[in-house]
Amino acid sequence: MSISQDWITNELEDTELEALHRSPSVEYSFYNAVRAGDMEAVNKNCEEDSFLHLKGTGILSKNPLINLKYHFVVTTAMLTRYCIDGGLEPEQAYRLSDFYILKMDSCTTVRQIADLHHIMARDFTGKMILQKKSSILSRPVMQCVDYIYGHIKERITIQDLSEHTGLSPSYLSRVFKQNLGVSISDYIREKKIEKATHLLRYSDKAVVDIANYLNFSSQSHFIQIFENFTGLTPKKYRDKYYKSMW
């Protein structure tokens, strides 16, 4: 049977079964809540397990688990584009999307997929909240934030940021502190440690490899900074949180 004939047969069967799709306004409302950084609405959606209420969303696979996985991909793709439209840095949004879809691919139960969906939705929402707060930042500070995000594996100096923005190190340092309330060096360390927590949770990289990957001067220096920020050594952090969400 050709694709066109198959489609006609399918349409006739669907019409007889009255398998109608629900209004897209339901999904649009959720996507817009995430884009707006409305954590209250998103939390309500998650608490009600709305993602599992699939009536009217279409059947993408006859296998319930695969069907939900396909819907997860659709939702993630939509949220990614809604958030980019709302101002989220595109590369960050696409990386988040790839990250969660890969994590979902290893899920083996409906419950795991739903729980991951909730984590993903709250993560995007949280980043939109931060993005909206950062929208009041001066252009040079936003240039610094973007540069740090894109070069987090490297050794980043105030001189690097000065050259990137075209401002003197002293002036840039003052503007950055006024806008974000922390020094440039502290912000860089904070973002490196944030990246390190992700690697400790979701990868098998050794602590020394993570220290080298993030360009710390030594493993001991990395451990000291990590403990200052989190209250735990990298080993204790991994023991407590390693793949705990999955």
Side-chain angles (χ1 to χ4, degrees), residues 62-202:
K62 294 180 180 178
N63 180 310
L65 186 67
I66 301 300
N67 184 55
L68 194 64
K69 285 189 172 188
Y70 287 154
H71 279 288
F72 184 102
V73 172
V74 171
T75 299
T76 306
M78 292 298 292
L79 287 181
T80 299
R81 284 146 184 82
Y82 264 69
C83 288
I84 290 173
D85 184 61
L88 190 61
E89 202 276 323
E91 182 62 23
Q92 183 181 19
Y94 287 128
R95 287 185 187 182
L96 267 182
S97 173
D98 293 347
F99 171 79
Y100 280 110
I101 289 173
L102 283 171
K103 284 295 174 187
M104 177 277 298
D105 194 46
S106 65
C107 291
T108 57
T109 68
V110 166
R111 185 69 262 163
Q112 285 178 337
I113 297 172
D115 289 344
L116 182 60
H117 167 272
H118 302 339
I119 294 167
M120 179 267 296
R122 288 172 172 133
D123 194 357
F124 269 104
T125 307
K127 283 179 170 54
M128 291 307 297
I129 292 172
L130 292 176
Q131 189 278 329
K132 290 182 185 305
K133 287 181 179 178
S134 70
S135 65
I136 63 172
L137 300 180
S138 65
R139 178 174 175 78
V141 174
M142 282 307 301
Q143 287 178 313
C144 289
V145 169
D146 288 342
Y147 183 93
I148 292 167
Y149 181 82
H151 297 77
I152 197 65
K153 297 186 294 182
E154 303 167 17
R155 179 177 178 270
I156 306 169
T157 66
I158 294 176
Q159 186 61 39
D160 293 330
L161 297 173
S162 171
E163 293 173 1
H164 181 65
T165 58
L167 301 174
S168 71
S170 59
Y171 178 76
L172 182 61
S173 296
R174 185 166 66 253
V175 171
F176 195 96
K177 182 70 177 288
Q178 288 173 347
N179 274 244
L180 290 179
V182 295
S183 68
I184 291 176
S185 55
D186 282 344
Y187 182 86
I188 292 170
R189 280 192 288 267
E190 178 185 339
K191 292 303 168 184
K192 282 182 177 288
I193 295 304
E194 181 181 294
K195 181 70 173 179
T197 62
H198 295 165
L199 293 170
L200 289 166
R201 279 183 183 234
Y202 310 124

Side-chain angles (χ1 to χ4, degrees), residues 1-19 62:
M1 181 182 294
S2 68
I3 290 294
S4 59
Q5 290 174 321
D6 198 15
W7 164 248
I8 292 170
T9 302
N10 186 77
E11 277 288 270
L12 290 172
E13 291 175 352
D14 280 353
T15 301
E16 290 174 2
L17 293 172
E18 296 185 350
K62 294 180 180 178

